[in-house]
Amino acid sequence: MNFKKICVIGLGYIGLPTASTFAARGVKVLGVDNNPRIVETLSKGEIHIHEPGLRDIVKAALASGNFSVSTKPEEADAFLIAVPTPFQENKFGEYNGVTYKLADMRAVISAAESITPFLRKGNLVVLESTSPPRTTMDLVAPILARSGLQAGRDFHLAYSPERVLPGQILRELIENARVIGGVTPESAQAGHDLYKIFVKGEIVKTDATTAEMVKLMENTYRDVNIAIANEFSRLADKFGVDVWEAISIANLHPRVKILSPGPGVGGHCISVDPWFFVETAPELTPLIYHARKVNDAQPHFVVELVQRALGSLKNKKIAALGLAYKPDVDDLRESPANEVALLLQEEGAQVKAWEPFKPDANLPGIDMASSLEDAIKDADAIILLVKHTEFINFKPEEIVKKTKARVAIDTVNGWNDEAWKNAGFELFRLGVNKSQIGNQ
Ligand code: SAJ
């Protein structure tokens, strides 16, 4: 198939990089977002999200005339849907006493509805949003059928998940392998032809439901593996073992690769996607469900560690370093660090948070510091919640001059015991219970 013009619905973390990458390859791209503020920001050449290199490629795409933005779709050769699929806020599912979260598919529904009037014979529609299994067949195809055209017969329909890592989106978009699941083999081939325009990684063709399941399997696999690492951190704490040492030794085994424990699992993917399996098959997913529960409970384990370090938290001043959901990104969605800060406050602590990637973040109930110095100056303890490179590079002998705190708490294995001890701090580390160590 030949693609002269494509329409990308949803200009967020995935839609915007995808749209501008296509435009950079000479395809005419109309980027569509139903939020007029986003469209206005982009038309001024500004961008509303932080991702290395994105500003430049968007600017170049707009300047080339290949990329334009609007709140409404137009006729095109292909339509890509890259809209969010978060949880429903107030509705939960229940199975055998187990409560689970439900996907909010409203954005996918309205994106498909917005395309329907512009759909023509021979077009290709691709859903990229992470979705519960069978969404392409059972939700999207029937909506598009309201055009009078049938998926697989009159137009091509496929599911192709994004698999890029925030912070490296532009590179991974091009280099990663891509899966295209068509509602027919011809639809998969049409999707292949489209992404071939910029994808250098392998493009694998399959059916739509397999592609949906592959996406959820990848993130669920990671979630379950992080859950076992987090559970190991609790066991190590109980048995007086340094979990980080134990993991590094276990990982010398050629078939073992234990991930890192931490304050929990955040972001809009790994902490969300496993629920799409639970929602659609609660009777088949006890492991996936419990892994989610383990990871969601990890912030409570961090609070216990802080209590061990400080005793009662009432009126204790705590400097929380990092609020992002993972290192070196500005994304605060579903962040376990945020959860830890709120839980510490529930215990009576006064938390001041410093997030260098988003210093002016406005999070309910969180007191943001204006600088590192402001956060740590009067603190009783400093807690490291995100492994940002600049935090890891701290020189404790410099930090000690800027703070009253003599207690440091490391939830991500970012700081060196000796260095912090030599500078005059007592260092507490997640997964290491000093009172138990040597007590074996
Ligand atoms: N985390 C740990 N321990 C680890 C690794 C991660 O606690 O050993 C935590 C992180 O701190 C973070 C969370 O898990 O809070 C998720 O971080 P991540 O780097 O594992 O993943 P994401 O959410 O940024 O991106 C994932 C990726 N999926 C996989 O690696 C299977 C990415 O390739 C997907 O494109 C993305 O989800 C997505 O959009 O679905």
Side-chain angles (χ1 to χ4, degrees), residues 13-14 130 161-167 169 172 176 214-223 225-227 229-230 244 257-271 273 292 295 298 324-327 329 331 333-337 385-387 411-412:
Y13 279 89
I14 300 303
T130 306
E162 54 77 16
R163 299 149 108 188
V164 290
L165 200 67
I169 293 179
E172 289 208 358
N176 285 5
V214 164
K215 170 68 193 181
L216 298 181
M217 281 164 57
E218 291 165 356
N219 282 353
T220 301
Y221 169 86
R222 198 154 165 85
D223 197 40
N225 278 283
I226 299 170
N230 282 334
W244 306 95
K257 176 79 192 78
I258 301 168
L259 294 176
S260 302
V265 171
H268 48 293
C269 309
I270 296 192
S271 65
D273 301 355
R292 270 293 59 248
N295 287 336
Q298 194 71 353
Y325 84 93
K326 69 173 193 176
V329 300
D331 193 338
R333 287 178 291 179
E334 312 278 334
S335 165
L385 293 171
V386 186
K387 215 171 176 179
T411 66
V412 291

Side-chain angles (χ1 to χ4, degrees), residues 48-66:
H48 55 296
I49 45 186
H50 171 88
E51 174 64 30
L54 185 59
R55 181 180 298 274
D56 291 346
I57 182 168
V58 171
K59 270 197 164 166
L62 288 164
S64 72
N66 282 338

Side-chain angles (χ1 to χ4, degrees), residues 182-226:
V183 299
T184 57
E186 294 73 25
S187 289
Q189 183 59 44
H192 172 279
D193 296 347
L194 175 66
Y195 288 98
K196 193 81 203 124
I197 293 174
F198 68 73
V199 172
K200 293 210 180 100
E202 189 182 351
I203 303 181
V204 184
K205 290 176 282 179
T206 181
D207 64 84
T209 309
T210 301
E212 289 166 345
M213 194 158 162
V214 164
K215 170 68 193 181
L216 298 181
M217 281 164 57
E218 291 165 356
N219 282 353
T220 301
Y221 169 86
R222 198 154 165 85
D223 197 40
V224 172
N225 278 283
I226 299 170

Side-chain angles (χ1 to χ4, degrees), residues 291-309:
R292 270 293 59 248
K293 286 294 194 191
V294 168
N295 287 336
D296 275 352
Q298 194 71 353
H300 292 273
F301 181 58
V302 173
V303 171
E304 283 170 30
L305 175 66
V306 180
Q307 281 165 330
R308 190 187 299 151

Side-chain angles (χ1 to χ4, degrees), residues 65-88:
N66 282 338
F67 183 41
S68 53
V69 287
S70 167
T71 53
K72 296 251 163 356
E74 287 172 5
E75 279 189 29
D77 300 311
F79 298 88
L80 306 193
I81 301 176
V83 294
T85 46
F87 298 132
Q88 296 189 34

